[in-house]
Amino acid sequence: MKELLHPICHEWANRCNTHGILMIEKTAFHAATTDTFDVVLLVIVDPQSEPMLLRKYSLNEKKAVLYAVSERQLNEWLVLGSHRKAVDWVFNGTVVFDRNGYVQQLRQRLEQFPPKERRLKMGLEFAKLIRHYTDGKALFAAKHWLDSYNHMVQVLRHLARLTVIEHGLYPEVTVWNQVKRMDGRIYRLYEELVGSEEPLPKRLELLLLASEFLIHSYVESGSSHLCEALKEKNGAWSIEEMTGHPQFAPYSVDLVIMLEYLVERKVLTVVEMPTKGNTMLERYYTL
């Protein structure tokens, strides 16, 4: 089918705002990354274009999908992890068109994984980790074993992704294949959780204890980006100020629970401020 897509690729390559085109074919290796399509076309256009255009094609029981994404949208996918398969597409896709070496430079940047992007990505993964660990622990205490199990699988997944990022790599769809070579502890915990014959409550109890230790080891690196952002202002921040600031926006709904966790770990301090005409005190956060 890829031959039949050449006219479409040619059309996009002739547009002056197209930086590059990548083609990802469905194979045994890429089966998990093409969303059941036989071919994925990723067209990268300039940052001023519309965020994303999506088109689907079919012929003789074969199907393809085209994503035309702005440079800004693609960077959001890669850094914020809002489209996890994009990393595989950029690294493993076949380059069909590359204006002025754009795709090659993009791949080099991803391989270098700039420290600023790495700190942000670690912060986002750490915030999600705290969310799932807190919920999993509460559900375990309430004896909702299966619901707790679901959250603890996510805890291990975020620990795995943090490990990969710490090693200077972007987490891919096959993150367990990556982490198996980097940190045997996390991989073994995953195997024990999903494959052990121990009763589920016992498995969860052991995992909660082990996870607490591992999470503690990531407090400094996982909170680095957030702490740097807090330094932009002298004094304490309100939640309202943080949610309206672009540095904190990527944390979304996980920001509050991460702040409270960092207060417990004495990374942050709470400053209580009086509210107008009310005896209630508002919580502000500072380093």
Side-chain angles (χ1 to χ4, degrees):
M1 187 179 188
K2 63 179 182 179
E3 290 78 12
L4 299 172
L5 292 170
H6 282 166
I8 296 171
C9 294
H10 184 70
E11 176 194 342
W12 281 94
N14 284 335
R15 299 188 183 191
C16 61
N17 69 331
T18 299
H19 291 314
I21 303 173
L22 290 152
M23 181 181 291
I24 304 91
E25 296 180 74
K26 182 181 179 181
T27 63
F29 180 74
H30 286 126
T33 64
T34 60
D35 291 332
T36 76
F37 286 90
D38 296 285
V39 177
V40 173
L41 284 177
L42 178 64
V43 180
I44 308 167
V45 296
D46 69 53
Q48 304 306 318
S49 304
E50 289 295 316
M52 186 178 76
L53 172 69
L54 182 64
R55 289 179 180 170
K56 297 178 181 180
Y57 307 92
S58 61
L59 180 68
N60 299 330
E61 298 184 353
K62 297 284 187 178
K63 54 184 182 177
V65 60
L66 179 146
Y67 290 86
V69 299
S70 69
E71 183 180 3
R72 181 179 296 129
Q73 178 68 67
L74 180 62
N75 284 333
E76 181 179 310
W77 283 357
L78 296 172
V79 176
L80 304 187
S82 51
H83 195 312
R84 302 193 187 282
K85 295 179 182 181
V87 174
D88 296 78
W89 293 352
V90 172
F91 272 124
N92 302 316
T94 300
V95 179
V96 177
F97 174 72
D98 190 8
R99 191 187 303 277
N100 301 323
Y102 174 87
V103 176
Q104 182 182 359
Q105 292 171 22
L106 174 61
R107 284 176 167 173
Q108 289 175 348
R109 180 172 69 82
L110 291 180
E111 287 172 357
Q112 293 168 356
F113 208 165
K116 184 177 179 181
E117 292 183 7
R118 193 183 309 176
R119 286 195 298 272
L120 172 57
K121 203 164 182 65
M122 288 200 73
L124 298 178
E125 289 296 335
F126 187 74
K128 291 181 175 65
L129 168 64
I130 297 306
R131 165 71 66 186
H132 284 293
Y133 177 76
T134 303
D135 289 349
K137 189 175 181 179
L139 289 164
F140 175 81
K143 297 184 179 181
H144 296 302
W145 311 127
L146 290 176
D147 293 304
S148 177
Y149 173 87
N150 180 54
H151 282 285
M152 294 313 295
V153 169
Q154 294 301 318
V155 164
L156 290 174
R157 183 168 166 269
H158 288 300
L159 281 169
R161 291 174 63 82
L162 278 167
T163 298
V164 173
I165 297 167
E166 196 170 51
H167 279 75
L169 301 173
Y170 278 78
E172 299 175 10
V173 173
T174 54
V175 67
W176 286 112
N177 194 42
Q178 288 178 290
V179 83
K180 187 177 181 180
R181 303 188 298 268
M182 298 174 184
D183 193 327
R185 297 172 303 167
I186 296 174
Y187 190 81
R188 283 192 297 274
L189 284 173
Y190 180 72
E191 284 188 317
E192 289 170 9
L193 177 63
V194 301
S196 173
E197 295 183 0
E198 288 272 6
L200 183 55
K202 186 64 176 178
R203 277 183 274 162
L204 291 170
E205 183 181 10
L206 294 172
L207 180 57
L208 281 163
L209 291 171
S211 296
E212 188 169 6
F213 172 77
L214 288 170
I215 292 170
H216 182 73
S217 69
Y218 279 110
V219 169
E220 183 176 354
S221 56
S223 64
S224 174
H225 172 265
L226 187 141
C227 290
E228 282 296 318
L230 287 172
K231 292 178 183 177
E232 290 188 9
K233 171 192 168 184
N234 290 325
W237 293 70
S238 69
I239 286 291
E240 184 179 7
E241 289 173 321
M242 280 189 260
T243 53
H245 194 285
Q247 286 274 49
F248 300 100
Y251 291 92
S252 187
V253 295
D254 297 318
L255 176 62
V256 173
I257 199 164
M258 183 175 178
L259 290 170
E260 293 299 324
Y261 178 83
L262 294 177
V263 169
E264 290 177 11
R265 292 293 176 270
K266 303 191 185 304
V267 176
L268 302 182
T269 299
V270 169
V271 178
E272 295 180 332
M273 303 281 198
T275 56
K276 291 181 179 179
N278 201 317
T279 56
M280 295 292 290
L281 299 173
E282 185 174 356
R283 291 169 72 85
Y284 282 64
Y285 299 86
T286 186
L287 292 173

